[in-house]
Amino acid sequence: GRVEFKVDKGAIIHVPVGRASFEADARVANLATLLDAVNRARPAGAKGTYLRGLTIASTMGPGVRVDLPALLAVANA
């Protein structure tokens, strides 16, 4: 499929990665694909840490911080 995302003024990406009815493995795969697409869209002049943090939240639910290094390892595998 396609990965489409937009960045707001605060440099925050808002994008759906799956539904609650998806299996956990499918959501992790979707998130890894999204991270891969964001890293590929990284400008050539960008230096240093490009992604500083990652939080996942349902539409009206609380956010949950994600272990970014572990997820990047899954995305690169």
Side-chain angles (χ1 to χ4, degrees), residues 2-47:
R2 289 187 337 199
V3 177
E4 292 184 8
F5 56 90
K6 289 185 178 181
V7 180
D8 67 6
K9 291 180 182 179
I12 298 173
I13 299 172
H14 300 273
V15 62
V17 292
R19 297 183 175 271
S21 62
F22 286 9
E23 294 293 326
D25 295 339
R27 287 191 300 259
V28 170
N30 286 349
L31 193 54
T33 303
L34 173 67
L35 287 179
D36 185 48
V38 169
N39 283 330
R40 288 179 191 224
R42 178 183 181 161
K47 295 181 181 177

Side-chain angles (χ1 to χ4, degrees), residues 16 31 42 46 55 65 74:
L31 193 54
R42 178 183 181 161
T55 303
R65 305 265 313 159
V74 171

